[in-house]
Structures are given as C-alpha cells and as structure tokens.
Amino acid sequence: MSKHTSPCFISLLILGLVATLAGVTPQVEARAFFVFGDSLVDNGNNNYLATTARADAPPYGVDYPTRRATGRFSNGLNIPDLISEAIGSEPTLPYLAPELKGEKLLVGANFASAGIGILNDTGIQFLNIIRIGQQLQFFQQYQQRVSALIGPEQAQRLVNEALVLMTLGGNDFVNNYYLVPFSVRSRQFALPDYVVYLISEYRKILVRVYELGARRILVTGTGPLGCAPAERATRSRNGECAVELQRAAAMFNPQLVQMITELNKEIGSDVFIATNAYDMNTDFVTNPQAYGFVTSQVACCGQGRFNGIGLCTIASNLCPNREIFAFWDPFHPTERANRIIVSTIVTGDTKYMNPMNLSTIMALDSRV
C-alpha cells in the first residue's frame, strides 16, 4: 500500500475485511449506500417532520432488534436494511438524524420520506414531507459535508462507487390519481397519458441522480398496487385485487423498464438497474402458501375489512405471528416479505433484475 493511501481508504478497507470475516459477501471495501423514495424505504426521516405520514409509534418496530418503532413502515427491518446487510454494510441512517455525522457519513444516507411521489403534488395531504427534489438537494448537501470530511476527490469516489436505491411511483397512483374520485390529476389526464407523464418526470429525476455522481442505481417499479389490503378493503367486492390500480401498475412498469433501457444506451453503461417489484411481490401475493404465508389478503396490523382500513396503531388488531403474513399494515410488506424481495434483488434472474442482479453488480464492481 503506497504512502499516499488515505486514512479513509484504510478505514473502509478494514470495514470491508470485518464484513468479510462476518461471513457476508466478500467486499474489497464496504461501499456507501444511498436511498431515495417513499415509505417503502423511509427509515425514519419523517420522525423529524410535522407530518401525519409516520411510523414512530408502536406496534411499528415490534420485531425490530430494539423492539422500538423507528419510523420504518414495518414490523422489523425494511428493504434498505436488508440490502445493507447483503452488501456487508451497516444500515444507513436517515439524513435528518442528528447522529449522521463524522465517520457515519461514510456509510451513506437514507433520504427517503413516506408519502412522496414522482410528482410534487403527490402526498400533499401529508403536509410536511421531503419531496424528491428536496431529497436530491440533501444529496448535494451530503456530498459537501463528506467533502469537508475526506476531501473532494475521495468524496466523489465514494459517491461514484456507491450503490443507490430509488423507489418511487406507487404514491402517484394511490395518493394522487386515485386518492379521491375525480381527482385533479384524473380530470387532467386519462390513465395512459398520466403514465407517460410520470415516466417523463421520473426520467428527469434519474438523470439528475446520475449528474450528481451516482453510477449504480437500482430503480424499483411499483408493486401490484391493487393487491394491498387497503385497496382490497375499499375497492373490491370479494377481496380480489382492485382492477384499476392493477391496470395502472401494468401500464407503468413496462414503460419504466423501457425508459431505463434507453437511458443506459444513451449513457453507454449499465448505470440503472430495473428492479421488477411488481413480479417480486406478485409471486407471494398470488401464492402466499408457497412462501410460507397464511395470507396475503389480510394485513397483520389494522382494522376493518382485511385489516385494511385506516392506520396501524396501538388500538389496531395485531397478529401474534408476523412470519405468516405477507402484509404488515394496509400498504407495506412484513419484514419476512421484505426478505423475499431483497433475496430476489440479490440473486434474481433478468425477469426480476434487468440487466443484472445485485450479486453480479458486486462481483463486477469488486474487479474494477
């Protein structure tokens, strides 16, 4: 090792060796991880905001290692936690968390905020949330902070070599277009035109993340939106998946993949990875028993039909065994379902991860 090797590189190298010894996938060095998006990936930013979109009270976190509600919309770990585990890194902290400083910054940061969408008017009913434009501004601010810590060159390298997760789109349907009958957006756009508009706006967001230095970006489509217990409870007669929301997801996801493929062609590199959340979720939603679940219709925590009405609170029905439920609350998967999703992100074939899965990305990047 040359005498010019920075202390940061050495500490990252040590972190990587520790991770390897811990039996996770070998890494030359632990890579930073950045998360952008909505409640599926928020790990506590909304705790620091005056908003109703929050998960910082029991029974949220009932199975989290500390047994406390952390702001994750889960009974335990969420998708970013499990991706961090897979890449041999400690979980990222929410960007607004006061503890995110010093060496902790080098792990990365989670900028996600429950309730947001691709569009700025998505989630306005939640008042104070970190819209995607603001998340990207925070990412710039983060880079300045890291630059001050380890110097601009190392900071740029950390961002270029990082893994990024971007999860947007579901709320643009659930909490915007279909939020109320004759919503502003549904009067403005027929569904096919709305999808085209969303994709064009999403493209601008992805280009911006690339301009800010990200080079490995997992982009998730929406899940089977109509199959969430909330939608089954309010929009279906006999508990089947709600047709209109399923139609929206079926239109949106293929166009997202097409847009990502075109972007990669323009850039001349596989920067964006299309992550097929629709099929990942549909697998266990349509055949829960094959995955060890008893139900994918009923939420573990909630009230009313399918436990799909209202919020998950201390007054809600709570299932005693979270392992056998695919959905934790009216909208979000359980930790166990999240584990199935992340295991597919890591090892899934091109049906799920296009052009490659996370283990291939890690193998490729470790050789560079």
Side-chain angles (χ1 to χ4, degrees):
M1 205 172 280
S2 86
K3 62 178 185 287
H4 301 296
T5 307
S6 78
C8 158
F9 179 79
I10 293 166
S11 66
L12 286 174
L13 191 63
I14 291 165
L15 271 174
L17 290 170
V18 169
T20 307
L21 294 172
V24 290
T25 310
Q27 287 289 113
V28 177
E29 54 184 73
R31 74 196 299 174
F33 180 37
F34 301 106
V35 181
F36 301 91
D38 56 28
S39 60
L40 288 164
V41 294
D42 182 356
N43 67 351
N45 280 310
N46 281 20
N47 297 358
Y48 302 95
L49 304 170
T51 177
T52 50
R54 53 203 304 143
D56 57 347
Y60 284 97
V62 61
D63 301 307
Y64 190 74
T66 59
R67 303 284 180 261
R68 288 217 176 115
T70 58
R72 290 163 171 82
F73 286 75
S74 170
N75 57 303
L77 301 177
N78 66 6
I79 287 167
D81 293 325
L82 299 166
I83 290 177
S84 291
E85 230 174 62
I87 64 172
S89 190
E90 58 185 91
T92 50
L93 287 167
Y95 186 67
L96 299 184
E99 314 89 87
L100 184 68
K101 53 180 192 272
E103 291 279 308
K104 292 267 183 210
L105 283 164
L106 306 182
V107 174
N110 185 317
F111 301 92
S113 176
I116 71 132
I118 295 164
L119 306 181
N120 274 337
D121 56 305
T122 291
I124 48 172
Q125 69 273 31
F126 302 121
L127 304 173
N128 224 344
I129 47 182
I130 313 168
R131 307 193 183 285
I132 190 63
Q134 179 69 60
Q135 290 185 27
L136 295 174
Q137 280 171 11
F138 280 155
F139 187 38
Q140 274 181 284
Q141 191 183 83
Y142 164 91
Q143 292 187 34
Q144 288 157 5
R145 291 171 66 190
V146 171
S147 227
L149 192 67
I150 58 175
E153 271 181 39
Q154 288 282 24
Q156 187 176 356
R157 188 178 155 208
L158 179 136
V159 170
N160 290 162
E161 293 180 356
L163 182 70
V164 175
L165 175 66
M166 174 76 71
T167 297
L168 289 172
N171 284 328
D172 295 286
F173 297 105
V174 172
N175 284 311
N176 190 330
Y177 196 85
Y178 291 110
L179 180 65
V180 290
F182 312 109
S183 68
V184 173
R185 288 297 188 185
S186 69
R187 290 201 309 272
Q188 182 186 7
F189 290 107
L191 181 63
D193 301 327
Y194 183 62
V195 169
V196 168
Y197 175 56
L198 283 181
I199 296 290
S200 69
E201 291 300 302
Y202 206 168
R203 189 182 193 283
K204 293 174 194 169
I205 292 161
L206 295 182
V207 167
R208 185 70 190 125
V209 181
Y210 177 76
E211 287 169 355
L212 290 172
R215 294 294 177 265
R216 283 291 189 206
I217 305 156
L218 307 177
V219 183
T220 68
T222 74
L225 299 171
C227 301
E231 304 305 341
R232 292 186 198 253
T234 55
R235 294 177 188 273
S236 75
R237 264 219 171 127
N238 305 309
E240 67 279 6
C241 298
V243 175
E244 267 301 288
L245 279 152
Q246 287 297 85
R247 188 171 148 240
M251 267 185 215
F252 176 80
N253 288 308
Q255 290 186 44
L256 178 63
V257 175
Q258 191 186 341
M259 180 263 280
I260 286 170
T261 308
E262 286 164 9
L263 258 185
N264 283 340
K265 262 197 199 124
E266 276 174 41
I267 293 165
S269 171
D270 292 329
V271 169
F272 299 99
I273 313 295
T275 302
N276 183 349
Y278 186 89
D279 283 342
M280 288 178 192
N281 283 270
T282 298
D283 286 350
F284 60 75
V285 163
T286 53
N287 190 359
Q289 285 74 22
Y291 292 84
F293 296 119
V294 165
T295 179
S296 60
Q297 260 190 334
V298 183
C300 167
C301 180
Q303 46 277 317
R305 200 171 174 224
F306 306 120
N307 275 347
I309 308 292
L311 303 170
C312 165
T313 70
I314 202 76
S316 302
N317 304 316
L318 179 66
C319 67
N321 181 2
R322 272 72 65 185
E323 295 290 299
I324 56 174
F325 281 73
F327 282 93
W328 156 247
D329 68 11
F331 286 105
H332 304 96
T334 53
E335 177 183 320
R336 187 148 167 272
N338 283 334
R339 283 189 181 277
I340 293 167
I341 292 164
V342 172
S343 124
T344 314
I345 289 173
V346 175
T347 60
D349 61 26
T350 48
K351 173 188 174 186
Y352 300 100
M353 298 293 293
N354 189 5
M356 66 189 113
N357 62 32
L358 183 52
S359 59
T360 305
I361 291 169
M362 287 158 69
L364 273 177
D365 294 351
S366 70
R367 289 202 291 269
V368 173

